[in-house]
Amino acid sequence: MGSIREELVSKMTEREYDFEVAMLLGALKSFKQSSLVNPFPKYFVENGERKHQKLTEAAEGLPSASQLFSQEPLLIEEETQQVLKHIIDHANIKEVPVIPSEYSAPELVPQLVFEVSETCPAKRKEFAEVSENYEVLKGFHGSALCNWYCISKGGLRNFSGTKRESHGSLFGEGIYLSHTLRLACDFSSSAAAWKRCNLGSYLRIIASCDWITTPETTKASSTVDSGSGTGGKVPDAYIVVPNAAHVRVHRLLVYSAKDAVSKSAWRFTSVWMIIFYAFLLFTIVMSQVENRALARSMWRSVRLQTRFLTKYFY
């Protein structure tokens, strides 16, 4: 165990290790784990079959960053050591300073930023060659926590028209980016981190990407045909890049929190907005109709709907 610990300390910091584990376990906890855990540790492949459950159990036994980076002796199971070795072998992120002035609003400033190194030599070469002839711009991409393990290791991919398509392809097939960080946040969500995570109980991740402005890229306000008759002009905030080799994940912006933003909070707001408008309608009716019996009947209806909505949402 000593040699693995020494290698890890020499290759990454505590927070880099913590984040690597958070992404791996995020993928393993997903119902789509069969396609998200990529690269997959060879140690957990038996007779050509990937043992996801075995890998998950071993990964859940990983020590916290503070334990691993301390001088205290650790007794770690062999299978968990293999997961640790896999993380070390495929580590490709480095923490960089957060510069608040780079963000348009205080709430958009991440708690952590990690720079990503491209792991595929062929993609790295093609991006460098093509970018010599075209301008390279910045864009943002939001996704669920479970997706970031494979994205950080293999880059963004064009899944339009496949079973792995997440949000449709209304403005054409390709990788969807946004000019604005705020919009990219709408396509991400906070998710529970692994149980020994020191970065926060809940994490949300947004990618800051470089994309090449080739003619095939669908830019804002371009007219497109999605192939389903729903095409139109691409909104100003969107970019659609059909060639995955022309998009490079540069940095991962990490937003951490002790508590999740509960969906019940949104539901609470929605319910009371409905109640408010119902009450406003009732007031208008009361002021304009002479038939008070009709008004009272409408109010009873509003109260019944309120009870139903409250019961439904809570």
Side-chain angles (χ1 to χ4, degrees):
M1 180 61 198
S3 60
I4 292 180
R5 175 183 281 186
E6 291 169 5
E7 185 179 0
L8 185 141
V9 171
S10 69
K11 289 192 69 173
M12 62 182 75
T13 65
E14 288 189 37
R15 290 199 286 202
E16 288 164 2
Y17 162 76
D18 212 340
F19 187 51
E20 289 276 12
V21 177
M23 290 191 292
L24 174 59
L25 275 169
L28 284 168
K29 294 287 186 173
S30 171
F31 70 94
K32 300 183 293 184
Q33 61 177 209
S34 59
S35 59
L36 295 178
V37 185
N38 187 29
F40 194 91
K42 294 180 180 179
Y43 181 87
F44 296 91
V45 179
E46 299 176 7
N47 299 319
E49 182 182 353
R50 295 184 173 190
K51 299 295 182 179
H52 287 93
Q53 184 59 38
K54 189 176 179 180
L55 172 57
T56 301
E57 292 172 358
E60 288 179 335
L62 286 166
S64 68
S66 55
Q67 288 176 315
L68 203 58
F69 280 75
S70 71
Q71 299 301 315
E72 298 178 5
L74 282 174
L75 181 61
I76 300 178
E77 298 292 334
E78 171 61 26
E79 291 180 347
T80 300
Q81 290 190 44
Q82 291 297 325
V83 178
L84 195 57
K85 188 177 185 307
H86 176 77
I87 291 172
I88 295 171
D89 291 343
H90 293 85
N92 67 324
I93 60 168
K94 289 295 178 184
E95 185 179 3
V96 295
V98 176
I99 303 175
S101 60
E102 293 182 350
Y103 303 91
S104 60
E107 66 271 17
L108 296 178
V109 179
Q111 280 69 50
L112 297 163
V113 177
F114 295 94
E115 198 161 88
V116 181
S117 298
E118 175 60 69
T119 58
C120 177
K123 283 187 66 175
R124 185 165 58 242
K125 181 181 179 182
E126 181 174 351
F127 190 94
E129 291 176 348
V130 177
S131 61
E132 289 180 358
N133 301 312
Y134 299 98
E135 186 179 9
V136 177
L137 298 178
K138 294 287 184 184
F140 299 97
H141 181 86
S143 193
L145 176 62
C146 62
N147 296 326
W148 288 107
Y149 173 74
C150 63
I151 292 175
S152 67
K153 307 308 173 190
L156 289 166
R157 301 177 187 178
N158 180 0
F159 289 122
S160 297
T162 72
K163 292 181 179 180
R164 294 182 64 181
E165 181 180 79
S166 299
H167 299 289
S169 53
L170 181 61
F171 304 113
E173 295 187 353
I175 296 168
Y176 279 62
L177 305 176
S178 173
H179 290 294
T180 66
L181 175 55
R182 195 180 297 277
L183 179 60
C185 288
D186 292 340
F187 292 88
S188 180
S189 59
S190 294
W194 67 299
K195 60 185 178 182
R196 298 186 185 90
C197 185
N198 294 325
L199 305 179
S201 300
Y202 294 85
L203 302 176
R204 177 199 296 264
I205 304 171
I206 306 293
S208 172
C209 305
D210 299 324
W211 61 280
I212 305 173
T213 58
T214 58
E216 64 180 349
T217 299
T218 305
K219 306 175 185 66
S221 299
S222 299
T223 302
V224 299
D225 183 355
S226 68
S228 58
T230 56
K233 285 190 176 297
V234 180
D236 290 341
Y238 289 94
I239 311 110
V240 185
V241 185
N243 191 334
H246 296 171
V247 178
R248 177 176 63 190
V249 176
H250 181 213
R251 291 181 173 178
L252 298 179
L253 315 181
V254 182
Y255 300 84
S256 62
K258 292 182 178 179
D259 301 304
V261 178
S262 174
K263 288 185 179 180
S264 63
W266 176 85
R267 288 173 176 173
F268 177 85
T269 303
S270 300
V271 168
W272 285 106
M273 284 294 289
I274 293 171
I275 293 172
F276 169 76
Y277 283 115
F279 178 75
L280 183 63
L281 177 62
F282 169 76
T283 304
I284 293 171
V285 171
M286 283 288 289
S287 65
Q288 294 186 0
V289 301
E290 296 182 355
N291 190 340
R292 303 290 174 169
L294 174 61
R296 284 194 294 272
S297 175
M298 291 180 66
W299 175 240
R300 283 196 297 271
S301 176
V302 167
R303 288 196 302 173
L304 287 172
Q305 291 180 39
T306 301
R307 290 175 186 170
F308 169 76
L309 288 168
T310 304
K311 180 179 179 181
Y312 175 78
F313 282 106
Y314 298 105

